[in-house]
Amino acid sequence: MNIAEYSIRNKVISWMFALILLLGGIFSFFQLGQLEFPEFTIKDALVVTSYPGATPQQIEEEVSVQLEDAIQQLAYIDHVTSINSAGLSQIKVEIKDTYNKDTLPQVWDELRRKVYDAQASLPPGVKPSLVVDDFGDVFGILLNITGVGYTYHDLEDYTDLLRRELVLVPGVKKVSIDGALPERVYVEISREKMTALGISMQRIFDLLKNQNVVSNAGDIFVGDESIRIHPTGEFNDVKEMERLLISSTGSEQLVYLGDIATIQRGFTDQPNKLYHLNSEPALSLGVSFMAGVNVVDVGRAVMARIDELEGDRPLGMEITSVYNQAEVVDQSVSAFLINLLEAVAIVIVVLLVFMGVRSGILMGLILLLTILGTFIVMKVMAIDLQIISLGALVIALGMLVDNAIVITEGMLIGLQKGLTKLEAAKAVVDQTKWPLLGATVIAIMAFAPIGLSADSTGEFVGSLFWVLLVALFLSWITAITLTPFFFDLFYKEVNAAETSGELYQGAFFTAYKLLLSWCLKHRLITIVAVVALLISALFGFTKVKNVFFPASTTPIFFVDYWLPEGTDIRATDKAIAQLEKEVSEVAGVVNVTAVIGGGSQRFVLPYAPEDSYSSYGQLIVNMEDLEQLEKALVQVTELLRTQHPEADFRVKKLENGPAPAAKIEARFYGENPEVLRQLAAQAINVFNADPWTDNVRHSWRNRVKVIRPELLEEQARRAGITKNTLDEALLVNFSGKVMGTYRDGTDLIPIVVRAPDKERLSASSLTELQVWSPEYSAYLPISQITSSINIDWESPLIKRRDRKRMLAVYGDPVLLSDETADSVFRRLKKQVEAIPLPDGYQLEWGGEYETATKAQASLFGSLPTGLLFMFLITVLLFNTVRQPLVIWLTVPLSLIGVVGGLLLLNKPFSFMALLGLLSLIGMLLKNGIVLVEQIKLEADSGKNCYDAIFDASVSRVRPVCMAAITTMLGMIPLIFDAFFESMAVTIIFGLGCATVLTLIVLPVLYAVFYRVKI
């Protein structure tokens, strides 16, 4: 029994199928997880190693090189990048794209073992390496905690309460606090008093270290009891430290620590990172979500729990939202639903106008059921609603009615030919089910290279392929089952007397017949004209702007701010505080979050936190809306140029795709730092000479001053003073040295010994420094053991990539200009590559060029296989080569419309436009297959070849045009969506132009290939 006949005769089963799709789809939609971006594993880890006192070069040569050699032995390493600064090695490990969230835990375990094994090769004094593998955690809710008049300790206590409570909310994976200011117990010892009393600093160090240590005093057995012994002596209060006896054994004078030192508990004055909110000190609280949850529901639960804890919030403390992914996702899903409803309405209206009320309602119903059925399978496959799966539904929306249109059109023609509804259904489904299935599979296969890719591209956009596969395959099923069923319900039988002799009447068909007839007679002119148009389109494509991903529509922008390297974080803090006030006064600014010393917690997938630098600060500026944001970008950029000339800066929007350090990046590799800096200077000159290149800088920054006391080894040795003794004296006098731990409940607070402010904060005190001589048991002036104190210069940062020194030059296209990273890059590329490179040095391009090239290489690497498979399907459908060739030769015609549309509307060709272009391949092949199949049927019925081509083209013109028009008009709402606009323009103009040309060119090519005579 024919499937269409079965659907019509078994109405209960058909109704049940329709109800399952309807009710199951509605239920599944509300059960789907909702995210902003697809679940994506950031395949980076950070290996952090501290080597106090080492220069950047020593860090590089003695620590980073050893660790890099060990790490590079792992087979799954893609790139190893290191930043070497004074006392600190930061190695970023990037894993190959082929590893995913299931295999990465094993990768991180092996990485830890390699790093652990390499510790033995590191020099004495190096602290154990720390492997950070949660580097890519995304905190979808980012909050700031502030309180005027409260200390950091108060803020931390309340924030920690929130952390403990929020981590218990179902669906919450992790709650992180950032920006807390560490506490210290400062013991500030007067150099004058120490010298006068002749007490060595080492004695005080030993007393502090041993007095407050936790040690085991054992147990005593009394009868049947075992009683633990625990002597007193630990510091229970900071004031008790003042009563610590420090005078020598047997000394007649009792000297206490409080006699020579001021002891106080406070916060470190050299923090690693600080947060502000609108110029007020703040802590950052980040909440990340578990995989597969509905972010909207979990986000609401988190905010509800915060409301429940309102009674625990100290009066005057405020919680401010920096970013709430739940709200963003809710808005994006709502916007999609609006676009979906608009598109469905447009499709139905078009069908109502061109095919009648009943046909319009019929296909609108089939479209709705197909989409709802897709939601059911998405729920089963655990595919969430996010920007990529929503994009897949948008792409599919235009193709879902194609099959139904072909079946409905065929049944209408059948009725006009005098067939019954059942006969018409059986006939059209028998004729078209396999060609439609083949065309549907081909449309799906257009996206297979993306979805089945084993790398990061496949992981990020894989849901696009699976959603399209489900939706398009389901559209074929509903077309051959539910479409005949509902057609039977909606339409009445037509008597033979009621049918007209001529099927294709009207101005539209008449015009098409005339045009087709002329083109078939003038084939050479037609083909030459189309080839000329195609060549023009290929030339015009070189004028189209290229971007990888469009910027996000979230009203947030960033200001990256670099003071000269070597700037203390306290000075950076003051400069950022001033900038905060200035930016806060810009119209439309809701709030300004400042991060000093590094980047914020990662709150969206494309946000890449900056590495830790004391001279760096970042503003995260929340705006009222996008219109205000555009104006603010101009004002803030001008403000920075005029009011902050001492700083490098970068004003940027939130991205939807990868966010490299700069849009344009030239990397120079080589051994000699001086040569690298010279090459960078030449590249910077090229960048600066281009008026549309902005934010030009390089990764090694400026050189910094180093104070170098010249040690007189002979005199120092006679006094029993070593370099280590001198280093320790300088450390204690200026920075302070940790010597013990003070315990306060759960807080373990370092005890820091240092000089008072008047001795510590004066550069002149360097020459007045006293160093303890074990040989003389007295303090000696530093001048007796040093010949001079000199100023030297060094590179504060030495960066490496893949075990070679690398200096990168950065630049960006001017913000809000008509330039893109691609257009600027193409201008700069030849000039930078013309810079002569010494032997052993090389140039490599990074930035957006690298990320886009890598993604496109991944896509186009597997695309030929996909296209070959699609071609083979067409060959199998027709059991010949000529007919598939005719079909495939029409595919490039879409470029004519695509290029024209992008140039006309001044839209860039983005990754989403590329996806739109792939969808066009499937749409055009489907149209071509249906048309060629009809030509074959007409020829098999006994008509001569010319009449078969002509009659088949006329019979297919309405369904092909209807499918194209519904798709094109359904895309109109997306033109106003920044993320989908380039894709919408690509599909609207590409499909429109290609459909018109296909209906002409395909018959002409068919006639040429088969040498049809008129």
Side-chain angles (χ1 to χ4, degrees), residues 586-764:
V586 173
V589 171
V590 177
N591 56 58
V592 180
T593 299
V595 193
I596 301 97
S600 171
Q601 301 188 87
R602 188 191 298 267
F603 57 93
V604 288
L605 187 63
Y607 173 77
E610 180 70 21
D611 297 311
S612 298
Y613 305 111
S614 63
S615 59
Y616 171 78
Q618 183 181 68
L619 300 188
I620 305 172
V621 186
N622 295 82
M623 300 296 298
E624 291 177 359
D625 52 50
L626 285 175
E627 184 180 351
Q628 297 279 9
L629 183 143
E630 299 288 337
K631 297 176 182 176
L633 290 174
V634 177
Q635 295 179 50
V636 171
T637 302
E638 185 61 26
L639 168 70
L640 286 160
R641 290 194 199 285
T642 56
Q643 303 298 321
H644 296 265
E646 74 285 358
D648 291 329
F649 63 87
R650 184 188 185 201
V651 181
K652 60 185 181 183
K653 294 181 178 180
L654 181 63
E655 297 289 339
N656 269 322
K663 297 283 187 181
I664 305 159
E665 178 184 0
R667 301 188 188 120
F668 292 97
Y669 291 87
E671 283 303 312
N672 191 323
E674 294 300 322
V675 175
L676 288 175
R677 286 185 178 273
Q678 291 169 10
L679 294 173
Q682 295 178 64
I684 287 173
N685 290 336
V686 172
F687 279 43
N688 283 327
D690 188 291
W692 299 107
T693 305
D694 206 354
N695 309 328
V696 180
R697 60 195 189 283
H698 70 77
S699 59
W700 283 30
R701 309 295 311 283
N702 56 283
R703 291 185 177 87
V704 297
K705 294 186 284 291
V706 181
I707 298 175
R708 293 194 184 278
E710 297 290 337
L711 181 65
L712 296 170
E713 293 188 17
E714 186 177 344
Q715 289 87 329
R717 192 174 295 111
R718 281 201 298 266
I721 296 174
T722 63
K723 178 184 180 298
N724 185 58
T725 309
L726 177 60
D727 288 342
E728 189 172 87
L730 290 165
L731 176 65
V732 170
N733 194 80
F734 294 102
S735 298
K737 182 177 181 179
V738 176
M739 290 307 306
T741 303
Y742 175 76
R743 293 172 175 80
D744 184 7
T746 59
D747 296 328
L748 301 179
I749 305 172
I751 300 172
V752 179
V753 179
R754 67 182 186 183
D757 287 354
K758 65 178 182 179
E759 300 176 10
R760 179 167 47 87
L761 302 179
S762 172
S764 62

Side-chain angles (χ1 to χ4, degrees), residues 197 199 245-256 259:
L197 293 171
I199 300 173
L245 187 64
I246 62 171
S247 52
S248 303
T249 305
S251 174
E252 296 180 359
Q253 184 181 8
L254 298 179
V255 180
Y256 297 93
D259 295 335

Side-chain angles (χ1 to χ4, degrees), residues 120 158 193 315 371 578 679 758 781 863 875 879 911 942 969 974:
Y158 176 60
K193 294 180 180 179
L315 187 65
I371 293 172
Q578 178 61 36
L679 294 173
K758 65 178 182 179
L863 187 59
V875 172
N879 195 28
F911 188 75
L969 296 181
L974 297 179

